[in-house]
Amino acid sequence: MTDSGSAFHTPHSHVFLGPDHARAERRTWAVIILCTAMMIAEIVGGAMFGSLALIADGLHMSTHAGALLLAALAYTFARRYAADPNFTFGTGKFGDLAGYSSAIVLAMIALLIGYEAVSRFLDPVPIAFTEAIPIAALGLLVNIASAWLLAGGHHHGHAHGHSHSHDHSHDHSHDHGHSHGGDAHHRDNNMRAAVVHVMADAAVSVLVIVGLLLARAFGWLWMDPLAGFIGALVIASWSVALIRDTGAILLDRTPDPGMAAKVKATIESEGDQVTDLHLWRLGPGHLGAIVSIATSAPREPAHYRQRLADFRDLSHVTVEVQHLS
């Protein structure tokens, strides 16, 4: 039988945002402002001076700003609806959803760059070196500035929280203790996607500059599409990794099999049996767990909650105890 216990529930929060959420949100909006200003300057300047290359780069910058806007909106909506009870396990996955969407956009960009590179291999086009090289250099400077701004809000901190004990069959505990970064479930995939967009743009800018310089110096026009194709491969690689990681989170794949094994071993060290265990990510640095336990001892859910208190990343734990007759 399953222990029915008390019917009393203490209200508790389901806010599972990362410790750097507010700072990352501000930094992302700052980068959007920078990219938008650069975009407007390039498009207006291109129209005034008759530079098609400048207008093209401005339009490219608009896609860059659009991808970052997706990240910024994810931060804003996650914060705004963090306490909305309609989100059963909070809004911590908004960033992962945005990261997944950004990864899809990155994959499409990689395909477009690769297609254009192959087309230019087969049908070379004349290159306006005088315009193209300064524009690529300017784009690189903007990306370096963007990366610097984003990096200011992307570090691992300490999460502080609370703990609630409910002495009944389905026991919910919240333990937001000190979480030291480095583990995948601490990663802010929304910020990661924004940084990847900037890094991808910077990498392409570097390759384009090298390709243009070699093409101008030695007449190797094929260097420009080759640089673009290499850039497409780099972006595709980053995109696949981001899709894999964020997709796993959205599908509630166990984020840390090692921790799951330790949780089970901790419970079963007293002779009890874990009959069911679910471990998933709720947000950066926050994991949820549902544990079903069969025991012949007169133990209550609070006992097992205390046993799991050392797992500081377990922010929401549900314990079900089945007393064997």
Side-chain angles (χ1 to χ4, degrees), residues 116-196:
E116 183 66 21
V118 172
S119 298
R120 292 198 177 196
F121 266 124
L122 301 176
D123 186 17
V125 298
I127 301 173
F129 295 106
T130 304
E131 288 183 339
I133 293 175
I135 290 172
L138 184 60
L140 177 59
L141 290 176
V142 171
N143 286 314
I144 291 173
S146 299
W148 178 80
L149 285 171
L150 291 174
H154 188 53
H155 68 274
H156 298 293
H158 299 280
H160 300 276
H162 52 278
S163 178
H164 292 296
S165 174
H166 305 288
D167 194 13
H168 50 81
S169 178
H170 294 276
D171 182 52
H172 299 275
S173 68
H174 298 266
D175 192 0
H176 302 183
H178 296 280
S179 297
H180 299 282
D183 296 326
H185 55 265
H186 288 269
R187 185 181 296 147
D188 182 347
N189 283 314
N190 193 26
M191 178 57 68
R192 178 187 174 195
V195 171
V196 166

Side-chain angles (χ1 to χ4, degrees), residues 53-99:
L54 204 56
I55 294 175
D57 197 64
L59 294 175
H60 167 72
M61 188 63 69
S62 70
T63 63
H64 188 48
L68 291 169
L69 179 62
L70 179 64
L73 290 175
Y75 281 124
T76 299
F77 283 115
R79 171 179 51 79
R80 183 173 298 174
Y81 295 101
D84 189 336
N86 291 315
F87 292 97
T88 304
F89 289 109
T91 57
K93 287 186 179 180
F94 266 67
D96 300 302
L97 180 60

Side-chain angles (χ1 to χ4, degrees), residues 12-284:
H12 52 269
S13 171
H14 289 86
V15 178
F16 303 122
L17 304 181
D20 292 320
H21 188 94
R23 183 181 301 179
E25 181 181 352
R26 291 193 300 270
R27 298 279 180 167
T28 306
W29 281 113
V31 173
I32 289 173
I33 293 172
L34 173 64
C35 291
T36 302
M38 180 67 186
M39 174 192 72
I40 294 173
E42 286 187 324
I43 293 176
V44 172
M48 290 177 61
F49 301 113
S51 173
L52 183 60
L54 204 56
I55 294 175
D57 197 64
L59 294 175
H60 167 72
M61 188 63 69
S62 70
T63 63
H64 188 48
L68 291 169
L69 179 62
L70 179 64
L73 290 175
Y75 281 124
T76 299
F77 283 115
R79 171 179 51 79
R80 183 173 298 174
Y81 295 101
D84 189 336
N86 291 315
F87 292 97
T88 304
F89 289 109
T91 57
K93 287 186 179 180
F94 266 67
D96 300 302
L97 180 60
Y100 183 85
S101 302
S102 289
I104 297 295
V105 173
L106 275 172
M108 295 174 64
I109 291 174
L111 287 174
L112 288 173
I113 294 176
Y115 174 79
E116 183 66 21
V118 172
S119 298
R120 292 198 177 196
F121 266 124
L122 301 176
D123 186 17
V125 298
I127 301 173
F129 295 106
T130 304
E131 288 183 339
I133 293 175
I135 290 172
L138 184 60
L140 177 59
L141 290 176
V142 171
N143 286 314
I144 291 173
S146 299
W148 178 80
L149 285 171
L150 291 174
H154 188 53
H155 68 274
H156 298 293
H158 299 280
H160 300 276
H162 52 278
S163 178
H164 292 296
S165 174
H166 305 288
D167 194 13
H168 50 81
S169 178
H170 294 276
D171 182 52
H172 299 275
S173 68
H174 298 266
D175 192 0
H176 302 183
H178 296 280
S179 297
H180 299 282
D183 296 326
H185 55 265
H186 288 269
R187 185 181 296 147
D188 182 347
N189 283 314
N190 193 26
M191 178 57 68
R192 178 187 174 195
V195 171
V196 166
H197 269 282
V198 172
M199 289 176 59
D201 220 24
V204 171
S205 294
V206 170
L207 289 168
V208 166
I209 291 171
V210 172
L212 289 173
L213 289 174
L214 290 174
R216 184 176 66 175
F218 302 104
W220 299 341
L221 294 182
W222 50 269
M223 278 300 302
D224 180 59
L226 177 61
F229 189 76
I230 294 173
L233 292 178
V234 172
I235 295 173
S237 174
W238 290 342
S239 173
V240 168
L242 195 54
I243 289 174
R244 182 188 64 237
D245 294 345
T246 54
I249 292 170
L250 295 175
L251 292 172
D252 291 330
R253 182 179 180 181
T254 300
D256 191 340
M259 177 181 286
K262 290 178 181 178
V263 167
K264 182 177 180 181
T266 298
I267 296 297
E268 294 185 341
S269 64
E270 296 180 322
D272 301 321
Q273 181 183 2
V274 174
T275 58
D276 196 16
L277 173 61
H278 299 277
L279 187 69
W280 73 101
R281 174 170 143 146
L282 301 167

